[in-house]
């Protein structure tokens, strides 16, 4: 019988917004899995992907086989519910991300738009699926998510340099859509002048958002003072700073950009993205497409946060759950102090697990003791209870569907 628990080797990506060398949590975790390779200090390490996504798949450490092929041969490991809905696959894609420069300002199309875009241009939009995602902070995590409250945006756009971007009439979501289409389409010189003019205004005039002039300065240094994303993010979106363990949920069609931090991210299995800033102009998608895909949820900072709750999968109360309001996945987080233990009850679907801190052991039925160390990644098939123990402390994230 095929092993239900297998250790994996995962792929990394080296986007230029990633943290460099061993500064990057991605590089640290990735390099600790046997067979992965050494950290190159001159290289940026932006993302580590876990799972079966074809462009960056994970492999079984013991045999070198692709996890996706292993599951096709052993469909019983994903369990009936997931098999019926998604086939012998993992319907989600967990990643570790490390960045000290803004990631492209982006939205991920919903199911309907994703299917239409894939039909028109399957090379660019490789998936018919939507891509709601969650992000859990491993360190201090700064990001832009969702829209500021309408009344705050309305007040802000009464400032002299901004008035010209607002169409006349009542200020509602439709006005915001017009502004959202306008700001990404103004010429680079207008972006630069607007930023300069805003920075000449005292911070106190920015109402609840006195950080805006300073933030524009910081963003301009990353992608030049001509990047339209600077205006969209700083003026229209919620700017959040999260601490370790805090989390956000980004629904399909919702605008977001991550600014700095190390995170565990998980999304429905898709790689579709519409970019509109914090990237070279040639990498940006059409403003019309962006305007069409936009949704105006959430409309405040609170609405973007995903609460962390106790999970009933943990028998000893050491496990929390992040459960976004979608069916593709949830994430468990088990944090143990020295000498503590936890048991995950059997889960009826596939899961992917990474040790982000510490070391310990994991016992599975049949009395096998599996060593756990920082950076170790596992696939766990359905129906297996896991007993965790540690002498020194241990943190484990586990994404699953059932
Ligand atoms: Zn995203």
């Amino acid at each position: 019988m095929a092993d239900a628990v297998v250790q994996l080797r995962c792929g990394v990506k080296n986007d230029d917004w990633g943290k460099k060398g061993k500064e990057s949590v991605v590089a640290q975790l990735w390099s600790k899995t046997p067979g992965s390779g050494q950290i190159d200090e001159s290289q940026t390490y932006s993302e580590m992907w876990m799972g079966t996504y074809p462009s960056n798949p994970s492999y079984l450490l013991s045999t070198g086989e692709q996890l996706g092929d292993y599951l096709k041969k052993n469909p019983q490991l994903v369990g009936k519910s997931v098999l019926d809905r998604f086939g012998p696959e993992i319907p989600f894609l967990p990643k570790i991300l490390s960045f000290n420069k803004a990631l492209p300002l982006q939205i991920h199309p919903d199911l309907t738009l994703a299917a239409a875009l894939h039909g028109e241009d399957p090379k660019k939009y490789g998936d018919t699926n939507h891509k709601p995602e969650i992000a859990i902070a491993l360190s201090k995590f700064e990001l832009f998510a969702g829209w500021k409250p309408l009344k705050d945006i309305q007040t802000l756009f009464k400032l002299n340099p901004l008035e010209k971007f607002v169409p006349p009439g009542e200020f509602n979501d439709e006005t915001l859509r017009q502004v959202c289409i306008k700001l990404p389409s103004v010429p680079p010189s207008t972006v630069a002048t607007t930023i300069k003019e805003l920075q000449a205004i005292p911070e106190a005039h920015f109402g609840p958002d006195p950080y805006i002039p300073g933030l524009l300065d910081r963003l301009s240094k990353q992608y030049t003072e001509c990047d339209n994303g600077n205006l969209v993010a700083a003026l229209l979106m919620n700017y959040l700073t999260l601490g370790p363990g805090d989390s956000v949920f980004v629904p399909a069609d919702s605008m977001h950009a991550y600014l700095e931090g190390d995170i565990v991210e998980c999304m429905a299995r898709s790689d579709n993205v519409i970019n509109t800033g914090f990237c070279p102009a040639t990498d940006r998608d059409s403003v019309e497409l962006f305007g069409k895909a936009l949704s105006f949820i959430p409309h405040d900072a609170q609405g973007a946060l995903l609460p962390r709750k106790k999970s009933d999968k943990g028998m000893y109360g050491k496990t929390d759950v992040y459960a976004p309001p979608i069916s593709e996945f949830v994430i468990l987080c088990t944090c143990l102090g020295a000498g503590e233990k936890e048991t995950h009850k059997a889960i009826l679907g596939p899961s992917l697990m990474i040790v982000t801190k510490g070391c310990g052991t994991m016992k599975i039925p049949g009395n096998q003791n599996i060593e756990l160390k920082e950076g170790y990644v596992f696939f766990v098939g359905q129906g297996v209870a896991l007993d965790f123990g540690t002498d020194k402390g241990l943190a484990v994230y586990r994404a699953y569907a059932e």
Side-chain angles (χ1 to χ4, degrees):
M1 253 235 329
D3 285 340
V5 179
V6 289
Q7 191 174 353
L8 303 175
R9 179 162 56 76
C10 300
V12 281
K13 296 183 78 174
N14 306 97
D15 307 88
D16 68 350
W17 44 258
K19 289 189 184 174
K20 214 167 196 185
K22 59 177 181 305
E23 296 286 292
S24 167
V25 169
V26 167
Q28 286 171 29
L29 294 176
W30 165 78
S31 67
K32 284 174 183 161
T33 284
S36 291
Q38 297 271 320
I39 300 176
D40 174 354
E41 281 304 325
S42 67
Q43 189 65 270
T44 53
Y45 293 86
S46 56
E47 308 191 14
M48 177 165 100
W49 291 22
M50 294 164 263
T52 55
Y53 196 82
S55 66
N56 193 6
S58 302
Y59 298 85
L60 270 62
L61 200 54
S62 55
T63 62
E65 186 178 18
Q66 267 197 31
L67 177 60
D69 294 336
Y70 186 69
L71 297 182
K72 278 189 198 91
K73 276 190 239 157
N74 303 288
Q76 75 283 358
L77 293 178
V78 307
K80 185 173 176 356
S81 161
V82 165
L83 196 56
D84 287 352
R85 282 183 294 156
F86 303 101
E89 265 302 344
I90 297 177
F92 52 86
L93 174 61
K95 303 175 181 175
I96 305 291
L97 267 63
S98 288
F99 40 95
N100 48 18
K101 189 177 167 183
L103 277 65
L105 182 62
Q106 56 188 250
I107 44 183
H108 305 295
D110 62 22
L111 283 168
T112 316
L113 185 60
L117 291 173
H118 180 76
E120 284 164 24
D121 189 351
K123 232 178 123 199
K124 183 156 197 278
Y125 304 101
D127 300 286
T128 54
N129 201 7
H130 64 168
K131 189 190 168 192
E133 62 189 30
I134 74 172
I136 305 168
L138 292 173
S139 63
K140 181 184 168 195
F141 172 33
E142 292 176 87
L143 74 155
F144 299 99
W147 308 100
K148 290 187 204 293
L150 266 185
K151 62 170 179 30
D152 292 358
I153 300 175
Q154 189 179 7
T155 310
L156 211 50
F157 277 75
K158 284 181 182 148
L159 291 172
N160 223 347
L162 299 177
E163 264 178 343
K164 57 177 175 290
F165 300 120
V166 182
E170 190 201 343
F171 201 104
N172 52 27
D173 272 350
E174 200 37 51
T175 324
L176 180 55
R177 186 186 301 274
Q178 297 302 324
V179 178
C180 283
I181 295 170
K182 183 86 191 166
L183 290 183
S185 25
V186 299
S189 56
T190 311
V191 176
T193 337
T194 307
I195 291 177
K196 243 191 210 96
E197 288 169 358
L198 286 170
Q199 286 173 330
I201 298 174
E203 285 178 359
H205 292 218
F206 288 84
D209 306 318
Y211 60 81
I212 286 177
L215 192 58
L216 284 169
D217 186 52
R218 183 170 162 201
L219 293 172
S220 298
K221 283 186 178 128
Q222 295 184 359
Y223 290 96
T224 79
E225 68 287 358
C226 299
D227 193 301
N228 303 59
N230 298 346
L231 295 178
V232 176
L235 300 173
L236 302 176
M237 301 177 65
N238 300 303
Y239 164 62
L240 307 171
T241 302
L242 306 185
D246 293 342
S247 169
V248 286
F249 169 58
V250 178
D253 291 337
S254 179
M255 190 77 141
H256 56 290
Y258 299 155
L259 189 54
E260 187 164 350
D262 306 283
I263 61 175
V264 176
E265 195 185 45
C266 192
M267 59 207 61
R269 200 171 169 282
S270 167
D271 200 21
N272 286 336
V273 61
I274 299 175
N275 288 329
T276 189
F278 301 150
C279 56
T282 47
D283 290 355
R284 291 182 208 159
D285 290 276
S286 84
V287 173
E288 293 90 89
L289 175 61
F290 167 69
K292 204 160 75 178
L294 272 186
S295 86
F296 291 100
I297 306 165
H299 229 319
D300 56 45
Q302 211 51 41
L305 300 178
L306 181 67
R308 164 185 188 150
K309 296 176 182 154
K310 277 275 163 265
S311 167
D312 60 4
K313 300 288 186 200
M315 299 217 338
Y316 299 100
K318 301 286 181 193
T319 300
D320 290 339
V321 61
Y322 300 89
I326 49 165
S327 63
E328 275 93 344
F329 63 87
V330 302
I331 292 190
L332 300 178
C333 172
T334 299
C335 279
L336 300 179
E340 292 182 338
K341 60 175 187 172
E342 175 63 300
T343 294
H344 286 182
K345 294 178 202 164
I347 286 169
L348 300 177
S351 65
L352 289 162
M353 191 183 106
I354 179 162
V355 180
T356 56
K357 247 190 198 148
C359 57
T361 55
M362 175 167 76
K363 210 167 168 210
I364 58 174
N367 270 337
Q368 246 177 296
N369 245 333
I370 297 171
E371 187 183 27
L372 297 182
K373 273 188 180 172
E374 208 174 289
Y376 281 20
V377 179
F378 297 88
F379 166 81
V380 182
Q382 65 90 24
V384 184
L386 304 174
D387 293 320
F388 297 95
T390 174
D391 291 337
K392 293 182 176 149
L394 180 70
V396 164
Y397 286 87
R398 183 180 182 194
Y400 74 86
E402 67 178 354

